[in-house]
Amino acid sequence: EAGVVQSPRYKIIEKKQPVAFWCNPISGHNTLYWYRQNLGQGPELLIRYENEEAVDDSQLPKDRFSAERLKGVDSTLKIQPAELGDSAVYLCASRILAENTGELFFGEGSRLTVL
Amino acid sequence: AQKITQTQPGMFVQEKEAVTLDCTYDTSDPSYGLFWYKQPSSGEMIFLIYQGSYDQQNATEGRYSLNFQKARKSANLVISASQLGDSAMYFCAMREGSGGSQGNLIFGKGTKLSVKP
């Protein structure tokens, strides 16, 4: 069974440029998360989807960040315009909502460097 | 207020010895779950072990065990017989609520474990 797939793995851009990250969760996983992980820190939640609905986007900086999960499967996270402080690893994770003890399955992450 | 606290930024352990990674948590929700994840240098987060707040026994998974002390709000990870491949960052995490009211997974800042040959 394929795991959570993210692309691109690495992205280097100049500040003020746009960037987008894509995530394809494990088949059948209705809950999808985007986390941001700064160097030396734990992941911090940006947004959580249950199916196609964003049920928690309270930590998403909405002035420059946007996300979508059309059809409740794969998802895209966009930053426009990027700032130096956005350099981080962006992790996507998925799980089955109904499983009380279900752990999150993570992708390998997309490492963003903003110059 | 920080909900997950990992006070050890880095730990060293000799190969084949046991090591304990500390984690304390803060919640007023009677229903919650505690998780440990491993993150090697490759970057992927790997699930290790889960403990539910109502579980009577400490969770175990192979060489991993969770020392759950509910009254102290601690959930320490014990790795027995350390191997070189255990060198990685280890994150403690908590999810509040149960069933349909489950919240998000909140992570601590992590502990970097280095296993010495």
Side-chain angles (χ1 to χ4, degrees):
Chain A
E1 179 181 332
V4 177
V5 180
Q6 290 187 247
S7 68
R9 286 293 314 278
Y10 304 93
K11 188 73 176 180
I12 301 174
I13 61 173
E14 293 190 347
K15 63 181 180 182
K16 300 185 182 180
Q17 294 299 307
V19 64
F21 305 110
W22 176 79
C23 172
N24 189 29
I26 293 173
S27 177
H29 283 198
N30 48 2
T31 304
L32 183 147
Y33 304 76
W34 282 103
Y35 281 86
R36 176 169 59 188
Q37 186 176 21
N38 293 313
L39 189 64
Q41 301 292 316
E44 296 176 332
L45 180 74
L46 290 173
I47 190 168
R48 172 167 64 107
Y49 283 93
E50 290 177 10
N51 298 305
E52 65 275 7
E53 182 183 359
V55 295
D56 187 348
D57 62 357
S58 58
Q59 303 301 312
L60 189 72
K62 298 181 184 63
D63 57 337
R64 297 183 301 105
F65 285 65
S66 64
E68 60 182 14
R69 191 185 185 198
L70 301 176
K71 300 182 182 178
V73 182
D74 54 353
S75 176
T76 302
L77 177 70
K78 298 179 181 178
I79 308 173
Q80 182 171 9
E83 297 179 352
L84 295 177
D86 296 331
S87 294
V89 176
Y90 291 84
L91 294 165
C92 180
S94 70
R95 65 183 286 260
I96 299 173
L97 178 62
E99 292 188 1
N100 192 42
T101 62
E103 72 270 24
L104 271 63
F105 293 83
F106 283 84
E108 293 183 304
S110 294
R111 183 179 295 275
L112 173 65
T113 301
V114 182
L115 303 176
Chain B
Q2 199 166 3
K3 292 205 169 187
I4 297 288
T5 303
Q6 295 181 253
T7 57
Q8 307 153 314
M11 288 281 286
F12 287 91
V13 64
Q14 201 69 37
E15 191 179 9
K16 299 182 184 178
E17 292 186 351
V19 63
T20 298
L21 306 183
D22 296 341
C23 173
T24 58
Y25 60 92
D26 183 28
T27 181
S28 57
D29 195 322
S31 178
Y32 53 90
L34 297 158
F35 300 75
W36 277 92
Y37 280 82
K38 172 184 178 181
Q39 188 177 42
S41 55
S42 59
E44 187 174 358
M45 298 284 280
I46 302 168
F47 167 75
L48 296 178
I49 197 167
Y50 168 84
Q51 179 84 43
S53 59
Y54 295 119
D55 293 344
Q56 295 296 315
Q57 298 197 356
N58 288 344
T60 60
E61 289 287 348
R63 295 186 298 110
Y64 304 109
S65 61
L66 201 152
N67 184 2
F68 182 44
Q69 297 190 40
K70 197 170 183 177
R72 295 185 177 183
K73 293 188 175 179
S74 74
N76 299 338
L77 177 70
V78 180
I79 305 175
S80 62
S82 297
Q83 302 173 356
L84 295 178
D86 294 335
S87 294
M89 284 290 290
Y90 287 81
F91 291 97
C92 180
M94 177 178 67
R95 181 166 64 222
E96 294 169 315
S98 62
S101 67
Q102 291 181 57
N104 300 311
L105 201 61
I106 302 167
F107 288 84
K109 293 188 175 182
T111 296
K112 184 175 182 179
L113 178 66
S114 300
V115 180
K116 297 188 288 186

Short mmCIF file of all heavy atoms in Angstrom, two decimals, chain B residues 8-32:
data_model
loop_
_atom_site.label_atom_id
_atom_site.label_comp_id
_atom_site.label_asym_id
_atom_site.label_seq_id
_atom_site.Cartn_x
_atom_site.Cartn_y
_atom_site.Cartn_z
N GLN B 8 14.53 17.22 27.45
CA GLN B 8 15.86 16.76 27.05
C GLN B 8 16.10 17.10 25.57
O GLN B 8 15.62 16.40 24.71
CB GLN B 8 15.99 15.24 27.23
CG GLN B 8 15.63 14.74 28.61
CD GLN B 8 15.15 13.29 28.57
OE1 GLN B 8 14.34 12.94 27.73
NE2 GLN B 8 15.66 12.47 29.47
N PRO B 9 16.84 18.15 25.29
CA PRO B 9 17.11 18.47 23.88
C PRO B 9 17.91 17.37 23.19
O PRO B 9 17.70 17.09 22.02
CB PRO B 9 17.92 19.77 23.95
CG PRO B 9 17.69 20.32 25.30
CD PRO B 9 17.41 19.14 26.20
N GLY B 10 18.84 16.76 23.94
CA GLY B 10 19.68 15.71 23.37
C GLY B 10 20.01 14.66 24.41
O GLY B 10 20.13 14.96 25.60
N MET B 11 20.14 13.42 23.94
CA MET B 11 20.49 12.31 24.83
C MET B 11 21.49 11.42 24.12
O MET B 11 21.42 11.23 22.90
CB MET B 11 19.25 11.48 25.16
CG MET B 11 18.27 12.15 26.09
SD MET B 11 18.80 12.04 27.79
CE MET B 11 18.47 10.30 28.12
N PHE B 12 22.41 10.84 24.91
CA PHE B 12 23.34 9.85 24.38
C PHE B 12 23.10 8.53 25.10
O PHE B 12 22.79 8.50 26.29
CB PHE B 12 24.79 10.29 24.60
CG PHE B 12 25.22 11.41 23.72
CD1 PHE B 12 25.09 12.72 24.14
CD2 PHE B 12 25.76 11.17 22.46
CE1 PHE B 12 25.48 13.78 23.32
CE2 PHE B 12 26.16 12.21 21.64
CZ PHE B 12 26.02 13.52 22.08
N VAL B 13 23.24 7.43 24.37
CA VAL B 13 23.12 6.11 24.97
C VAL B 13 24.10 5.17 24.29
O VAL B 13 24.36 5.30 23.09
CB VAL B 13 21.67 5.58 24.86
CG1 VAL B 13 21.27 5.36 23.42
CG2 VAL B 13 21.50 4.30 25.68
N GLN B 14 24.62 4.27 25.07
CA GLN B 14 25.53 3.26 24.52
C GLN B 14 24.71 2.18 23.82
O GLN B 14 23.63 1.80 24.30
CB GLN B 14 26.37 2.65 25.64
CG GLN B 14 27.64 2.00 25.20
CD GLN B 14 28.68 2.98 24.70
OE1 GLN B 14 28.82 4.08 25.23
NE2 GLN B 14 29.40 2.59 23.67
N GLU B 15 25.22 1.73 22.71
CA GLU B 15 24.55 0.64 21.99
C GLU B 15 24.28 -0.53 22.94
O GLU B 15 25.10 -0.85 23.80
CB GLU B 15 25.44 0.19 20.83
CG GLU B 15 24.79 -0.75 19.85
CD GLU B 15 25.73 -1.14 18.71
OE1 GLU B 15 26.94 -0.81 18.80
OE2 GLU B 15 25.27 -1.76 17.74
N LYS B 16 23.09 -1.10 22.80
CA LYS B 16 22.59 -2.25 23.56
C LYS B 16 22.08 -1.89 24.95
O LYS B 16 21.52 -2.77 25.63
CB LYS B 16 23.67 -3.34 23.69
CG LYS B 16 24.13 -3.90 22.34
CD LYS B 16 25.15 -4.99 22.50
CE LYS B 16 25.67 -5.47 21.14
NZ LYS B 16 26.71 -6.53 21.28
N GLU B 17 22.21 -0.63 25.34
CA GLU B 17 21.66 -0.23 26.63
C GLU B 17 20.26 0.35 26.44
O GLU B 17 19.84 0.68 25.32
CB GLU B 17 22.57 0.80 27.30
CG GLU B 17 23.90 0.22 27.74
CD GLU B 17 24.73 1.19 28.53
OE1 GLU B 17 24.36 2.39 28.60
OE2 GLU B 17 25.77 0.78 29.08
N ALA B 18 19.54 0.48 27.54
CA ALA B 18 18.20 1.07 27.51
C ALA B 18 18.29 2.58 27.75
O ALA B 18 19.23 3.07 28.39
CB ALA B 18 17.31 0.43 28.56
N VAL B 19 17.30 3.29 27.22
CA VAL B 19 17.27 4.75 27.39
C VAL B 19 15.81 5.18 27.60
O VAL B 19 14.89 4.56 27.04
CB VAL B 19 17.89 5.46 26.18
CG1 VAL B 19 17.11 5.19 24.90
CG2 VAL B 19 18.02 6.97 26.42
N THR B 20 15.63 6.21 28.42
CA THR B 20 14.30 6.77 28.67
C THR B 20 14.25 8.20 28.20
O THR B 20 15.08 9.03 28.58
CB THR B 20 13.95 6.72 30.18
OG1 THR B 20 13.93 5.36 30.61
CG2 THR B 20 12.58 7.34 30.42
N LEU B 21 13.27 8.49 27.36
CA LEU B 21 13.04 9.84 26.86
C LEU B 21 11.82 10.41 27.58
O LEU B 21 10.75 9.79 27.57
CB LEU B 21 12.83 9.84 25.35
CG LEU B 21 13.92 9.16 24.53
CD1 LEU B 21 13.62 9.28 23.04
CD2 LEU B 21 15.29 9.72 24.85
N ASP B 22 11.98 11.59 28.18
CA ASP B 22 10.93 12.14 29.01
C ASP B 22 9.89 12.94 28.24
O ASP B 22 10.20 13.61 27.25
CB ASP B 22 11.54 13.06 30.08
CG ASP B 22 12.44 12.31 31.05
OD1 ASP B 22 12.31 11.07 31.14
OD2 ASP B 22 13.27 12.96 31.71
N CYS B 23 8.67 12.88 28.73
CA CYS B 23 7.58 13.66 28.16
C CYS B 23 6.55 13.93 29.24
O CYS B 23 6.09 13.00 29.91
CB CYS B 23 6.92 12.91 27.00
SG CYS B 23 5.43 13.71 26.35
N THR B 24 6.20 15.19 29.44
CA THR B 24 5.08 15.53 30.30
C THR B 24 4.06 16.30 29.48
O THR B 24 4.40 16.93 28.47
CB THR B 24 5.52 16.37 31.51
OG1 THR B 24 6.16 17.56 31.04
CG2 THR B 24 6.46 15.61 32.40
N TYR B 25 2.81 16.21 29.89
CA TYR B 25 1.74 16.82 29.11
C TYR B 25 0.78 17.55 30.05
O TYR B 25 0.79 17.35 31.26
CB TYR B 25 1.02 15.75 28.29
CG TYR B 25 0.40 14.65 29.13
CD1 TYR B 25 -0.91 14.74 29.57
CD2 TYR B 25 1.14 13.53 29.49
CE1 TYR B 25 -1.47 13.75 30.34
CE2 TYR B 25 0.60 12.54 30.26
CZ TYR B 25 -0.71 12.64 30.70
OH TYR B 25 -1.26 11.64 31.48
N ASP B 26 -0.03 18.37 29.45
CA ASP B 26 -0.98 19.16 30.22
C ASP B 26 -2.30 19.16 29.49
O ASP B 26 -2.39 19.60 28.33
CB ASP B 26 -0.48 20.60 30.39
CG ASP B 26 -1.41 21.44 31.25
OD1 ASP B 26 -2.09 20.86 32.11
OD2 ASP B 26 -1.45 22.66 31.05
N THR B 27 -3.34 18.69 30.15
CA THR B 27 -4.68 18.71 29.59
C THR B 27 -5.69 18.60 30.70
O THR B 27 -5.42 18.01 31.74
CB THR B 27 -4.87 17.55 28.58
OG1 THR B 27 -6.19 17.63 28.03
CG2 THR B 27 -4.68 16.21 29.24
N SER B 28 -6.86 19.16 30.46
CA SER B 28 -7.96 19.03 31.40
C SER B 28 -9.03 18.09 30.85
O SER B 28 -10.03 17.81 31.51
CB SER B 28 -8.59 20.40 31.69
OG SER B 28 -9.02 21.00 30.48
N ASP B 29 -8.80 17.59 29.64
CA ASP B 29 -9.73 16.66 29.02
C ASP B 29 -9.47 15.26 29.59
O ASP B 29 -8.32 14.81 29.58
CB ASP B 29 -9.52 16.65 27.51
CG ASP B 29 -10.66 15.99 26.76
OD1 ASP B 29 -11.21 14.98 27.24
OD2 ASP B 29 -11.01 16.49 25.66
N PRO B 30 -10.50 14.57 30.09
CA PRO B 30 -10.26 13.24 30.65
C PRO B 30 -9.93 12.18 29.59
O PRO B 30 -9.40 11.12 29.90
CB PRO B 30 -11.58 12.91 31.35
CG PRO B 30 -12.59 13.73 30.62
CD PRO B 30 -11.89 14.98 30.23
N SER B 31 -10.26 12.50 28.35
CA SER B 31 -10.01 11.56 27.27
C SER B 31 -8.95 12.13 26.34
O SER B 31 -9.12 13.21 25.77
CB SER B 31 -11.31 11.32 26.48
OG SER B 31 -11.08 10.44 25.41
N TYR B 32 -7.87 11.42 26.22
CA TYR B 32 -6.79 11.88 25.35
C TYR B 32 -5.92 10.70 24.96
O TYR B 32 -6.01 9.60 25.52
CB TYR B 32 -5.93 12.96 26.03
CG TYR B 32 -5.40 12.57 27.39
CD1 TYR B 32 -4.17 11.92 27.53
CD2 TYR B 32 -6.12 12.86 28.54
CE1 TYR B 32 -3.70 11.56 28.77
CE2 TYR B 32 -5.66 12.49 29.80
CZ TYR B 32 -4.45 11.85 29.91
OH TYR B 32 -3.98 11.49 31.14
#
